[in-house]
Amino acid sequence: MPLSTITMKTQKSQVQRISVPPRLAAGHLQASMEEIDGASDEIHLLASGVKFADPLDICALRTLIDHAGEMSLRVYLECPSDPSVNRYLERMNLYDELPDNVELSSPRPAIRRQPLGGKLIELSRIVRSADVEALMDRIAEIAGEQFGKRSTTAVAFATAVGAAAENVVMHAKSPTGALVAAQRYQRTGLELAVVDRGLGIPRTLPANPRHRGLSDLEAVKRSLQDKVSSSLEEGRGAGLWELREAVAASRNATLAIASGRADLSLSWTDGALHRNPSTPAKPISGTWIWIRLEAGKEK
């Protein structure tokens, strides 16, 4: 179902309505962010029909909510009408610490919280180094449940995601830090997303003269190489390279990075790498990272 945006004018205000598709799609939500230009006094996010949300979708929806909250006087979020979906979003902390000008269409659902550290990581915001350290502990726990608590893959993966999140804290200049969420599915494996609304790779990397003159896609590709950084300091530039190596070590996995006018997906099947580069119709604000480590044994 395609996303649609409708702007309604009244005598007192201008209302913009944004429809969210039943299967939350990060690409659609990215596009809807571009439609919000600050001209509306009120924004209605119509998400009543949402039927499913994975970690990237949850990060994308919260990113849209935060962005709408900054660009309008009032935001009205129409919550999913499916009670199970709405409870899941509550369980994943989507509704925690919403901007003051965001109103929900219904009261937050009451849920019974059980410790699920080995199965999911609720939506979390990474703003400072201490947040990164706490995140690494959570990732080590959830990855350890899939690959083994002492698995080299689990430890390397937690360290690499921490390095990528630290890059956001230091360089992205995101107004609200980075959002992180994860879920371990029995059939497909561990999915994790890291989303920020910062400058994005194509804009930050050229701060280093060695990386100027690149297209957005070339910049994203180069950022995955060792010792590539926007900084001129020695020893910098291992964050995304470490992440790439850690994901590849699981041998059956996918790493997707979208930023600016670049969307690059790297997939490994039994260790064999397949690349799928593309150019989105509209530029992507910040950097959006999605990872799947498929269920199975590490190498």
Side-chain angles (χ1 to χ4, degrees), residues 120-141:
L120 58 81
I121 297 176
E122 300 90 343
L123 186 67
S124 304
R125 197 176 297 279
I126 308 301
V127 179
R128 55 189 66 87
S129 295
D131 299 332
V132 175
E133 294 174 6
L135 172 66
M136 289 172 62
D137 290 339
R138 294 293 307 278
I139 294 174
E141 181 180 4

Side-chain angles (χ1 to χ4, degrees), residues 4-277:
S4 61
T5 302
I6 304 172
T7 300
M8 300 178 61
K9 293 184 178 179
T10 66
Q11 292 182 348
K12 294 183 178 181
S13 65
Q14 188 171 349
V15 179
Q16 186 175 22
R17 299 178 183 272
I18 296 178
S19 297
V20 178
R23 171 60 169 87
L24 276 177
H28 285 168
L29 298 181
Q30 290 165 348
S32 66
M33 287 181 61
E34 294 297 318
E35 299 293 334
I36 299 174
D37 59 7
S40 302
D41 298 320
E42 189 170 314
I43 296 174
H44 291 194
L45 302 178
L46 310 178
S48 62
V50 171
K51 299 297 183 184
F52 180 82
D54 64 21
L56 180 60
D57 299 331
I58 291 170
C59 288
L61 180 56
R62 181 53 194 261
T63 297
L64 175 62
I65 295 170
D66 291 343
H67 180 64
E70 293 175 4
M71 300 297 287
S72 179
L73 297 176
R74 178 177 179 266
V75 178
Y76 178 78
L77 175 62
E78 192 176 86
C79 301
S81 59
D82 186 324
S84 63
V85 175
N86 203 27
R87 286 195 299 270
Y88 178 68
L89 295 182
E90 173 68 33
R91 181 65 182 85
M92 290 297 286
N93 293 348
L94 178 77
Y95 304 130
D96 281 10
E97 299 181 357
L98 289 170
D100 292 338
N101 60 340
V102 175
E103 177 186 345
L104 301 181
S105 63
S106 60
R108 292 174 59 171
I111 62 171
R112 179 179 298 177
R113 290 186 178 270
Q114 299 176 347
L116 294 173
K119 186 176 181 181
L120 58 81
I121 297 176
E122 300 90 343
L123 186 67
S124 304
R125 197 176 297 279
I126 308 301
V127 179
R128 55 189 66 87
S129 295
D131 299 332
V132 175
E133 294 174 6
L135 172 66
M136 289 172 62
D137 290 339
R138 294 293 307 278
I139 294 174
E141 181 180 4
I142 193 172
E145 289 294 327
Q146 178 163 325
F147 295 106
K149 296 185 182 301
R150 298 182 180 178
S151 161
T152 56
T153 295
V155 173
F157 182 63
T159 302
V161 174
E166 185 74 26
N167 278 345
V168 175
V169 172
M170 297 180 65
H171 303 297
K173 297 183 180 180
S174 174
T176 52
L179 292 172
V180 179
Q183 173 86 50
R184 186 169 57 84
Y185 301 97
Q186 185 173 0
R187 293 184 60 185
T188 57
L190 171 61
E191 293 189 19
L192 181 141
V194 181
V195 171
D196 74 76
R197 292 191 293 134
L199 297 175
I201 294 171
R203 291 182 61 190
T204 57
L205 196 59
N208 186 329
R210 300 171 186 169
H211 311 306
R212 290 175 183 168
L214 301 175
S215 68
D216 287 10
L217 189 56
E218 290 170 339
V220 170
K221 289 179 179 178
R222 186 169 295 186
S223 72
L224 293 168
Q225 299 174 10
D226 192 14
K227 299 179 181 179
V228 171
S229 172
S230 60
S231 173
L232 294 174
E233 296 179 23
E234 291 296 328
R236 304 297 293 274
L240 290 178
W241 175 79
E242 286 182 2
L243 183 60
R244 179 189 185 280
E245 293 299 292
V247 173
S250 71
R251 294 183 57 78
N252 292 284
T254 300
L255 168 62
I257 301 181
S259 188
R261 290 191 177 275
D263 194 345
L264 176 64
S265 176
L266 304 178
S267 298
W268 290 265
T269 303
D270 293 329
L273 173 61
H274 305 277
R275 296 179 176 85
N276 182 26

